[in-house]
Amino acid sequence: MKRSVRPSRRALAVTTATAAALALALAPATGALAAPPAAACDNRNNNTIAKLTQCVSADGVKQHMDALQSIADANGGNRAANTPGYEASVDYVVDTLTAAGWKVSIDEFDYFVRAASDLQQLTPVAATWENEAPAGTGSGDVTGTIIPVDLVLGQPNGTAVTSGCEATDFAGLDFSGEADIALVQRGTCEFGIKAANAQAAGAEAVVIMNQGNTPERSGVLTNITLIGANPDELLIPVVGTSYEAGASLASAGSTARVNVPEPVNYPQKNVIAELPGKNTANVVMAGAHLDSVPAGPGINDNGSGSAALIEIAQNMTKLKPQNTVRLAWWGAEEEGLLGSTAYVEELPQAEKDRIALYLNFDMIASPNYIFMVYDGDQSGFEAPVPVPDGSVEIEDLFERYFTSVGEPYDDAEFSGRSDYQAFIAADIPAGGLFTGAEEVKSDEQAAIWGGTAGEAFDPCYHQACDTIGNIDMHALEVNSDAIATAVLAYSYSTELVNGVRGASVPGGLNLPDPAGPQDTWSAGGGGLSHDHDHALIAG
């Protein structure tokens, strides 16, 4: 595996003392010993890797997943943000971690919800068109004249669509009326650029129609974000609609009404639990998103990561760590990484500087799994985001763990498409594990990890069938122990990651050199091409 050639952001100098703090010897891990009785786990200090991984079990994690399933069953079948199911999930985590002796707090963040937007054509025909207001739109109720902007109609066609991408597209068009609605078309540039150019030209509202050149690009534009526009400056209402609606609105003499209501804030909750260490200025964070999508209970996505952290926390309750350990259960991840982003952005810089590293666990028990580690060294994939110094060392630890237990692993693109995005944007080292979403398992991957080639890693990804039956217990067991190993190791020392000298792990951390990723990916993404960046797509 390639090592980072860049110095740590805190000018890490790897010394003999560093190696002692995080011993990496060619010896097998000892976490596979038989688990002691539950009472022993509850009453002892699990201060070694062997003790902790003996007590952290897939059965224990599954009990918490069962609880999340029961919560969804009692609350309309899901645990999505701004629902009773999510509130009950928060209560479960708070109650369980409080009982385990952790210092638990609620971190609230803004969660704005709009009523449905309206798009009504008034002339030359009367019609109500299906539509959706994109993220980043302004608000308002505008009735006025439709002004088409450089449209390409009469699909299918091979003509590039640049509608609204340049200020010159609006030259010669009359936006001097009392209320003018710009009609632009998907294609070439980002939606926010089209909307911002329309506002600058004098439009009071914008309708973005789909391109119409393929069936996939013909329906109503949904789940889009106005990338390219400054949200503080884009004040006019914007809606996305279908190619059919746009073609009708483009008729001569067309007038319409666009209504995007003001959003209402329904504050949501992150759960933060902390185990104070001797060094309160060096914080080890690990997190998982707690919410599901509205379509289902979200037991693999992401009850698996959430439940694993609960199980680990319960088994670390008597630990007296060197570094402060902070665990997080994030809200509204499925709505655009809202909870984790708000948390990091609201931290003063001095508090960000206290965070040594962040570990992210999103989908760790996919039923048709492969084991993947976030590719911090970019040996498999060039990262589309900056990779903070120290992230390579986190990848290295997970790879050594998988090698120690004889499990093959592969790279997952270091993409920022989950709750570690805000942390890496703040230059905080990060890493994590993933077992796959809607990507299809190849023949080669099935030969290595078993399962079914030609089927998705998680066939129930973002669906109602993501239930307690949608998990693999072996993947859950291996990944839960991997997480426990990393959290405990870093609770003693983060010196290899950020240069802060800690203490030796009791009993050592005896892990072999990494075997190396399997390199089974023939295309980009590394299994992380699923839309956890929530359709931040260009036009």
Side-chain angles (χ1 to χ4, degrees), residues 293-507:
V293 293
I299 300 305
N300 184 41
D301 183 17
N302 182 38
S304 59
S306 292
L309 290 182
I310 297 172
E311 167 77 353
I312 290 166
Q314 286 181 311
N315 284 287
M316 289 179 65
T317 185
K318 296 188 181 302
L319 184 71
K320 305 299 182 185
Q322 173 69 24
N323 300 313
T324 293
V325 178
R326 184 182 299 163
L327 305 181
W329 289 263
W330 305 116
E333 187 270 358
E334 299 289 3
E335 304 302 320
L337 315 177
L338 300 184
S340 55
T341 300
Y343 175 83
V344 175
E345 288 183 350
E346 291 171 1
L347 288 177
Q349 187 59 49
E351 288 300 310
K352 293 176 186 176
D353 291 341
R354 291 178 63 213
I355 301 174
L357 56 90
Y358 173 72
L359 308 176
N360 194 66
F361 306 108
D362 189 351
M363 303 179 66
I364 63 166
S366 301
N368 198 27
Y369 72 90
I370 71 173
F371 292 117
M372 287 181 275
V373 182
Y374 293 2
D375 187 20
D377 67 2
Q378 304 180 73
S379 61
F381 307 97
E382 182 179 353
V385 295
V387 180
D389 295 324
S391 301
V392 172
E393 284 68 29
I394 296 171
E395 179 190 10
D396 184 84
L397 177 59
F398 283 125
E399 290 185 345
R400 288 174 182 270
Y401 173 79
F402 283 120
T403 301
S404 76
V405 295
E407 292 288 350
Y409 60 87
D410 216 333
D411 289 321
E413 184 181 79
F414 198 99
S415 65
R417 291 184 177 182
S418 189
D419 286 303
Y420 66 112
Q421 182 184 72
F423 289 88
I424 62 177
D427 197 31
I428 295 169
L433 305 176
F434 181 55
T435 52
E438 83 276 30
E439 293 286 328
V440 173
K441 178 176 276 188
S442 68
D443 291 336
E444 181 183 7
Q445 290 166 339
I448 295 170
W449 286 280
T452 306
E455 291 188 4
F457 297 123
D458 183 352
C460 289
Y461 174 66
H462 281 190
Q463 299 177 50
C465 57
D466 186 9
T467 65
I468 197 65
N470 187 51
I471 61 171
D472 184 274
M473 290 294 284
H474 177 68
L476 189 65
E477 180 72 54
V478 172
N479 276 329
S480 296
D481 281 351
I483 297 167
T485 297
V487 172
L488 186 66
Y490 290 131
S491 78
Y492 282 101
S493 178
T494 62
E495 189 169 0
L496 290 178
V497 176
N498 69 346
V500 176
R501 189 180 298 272
S504 297
V505 180

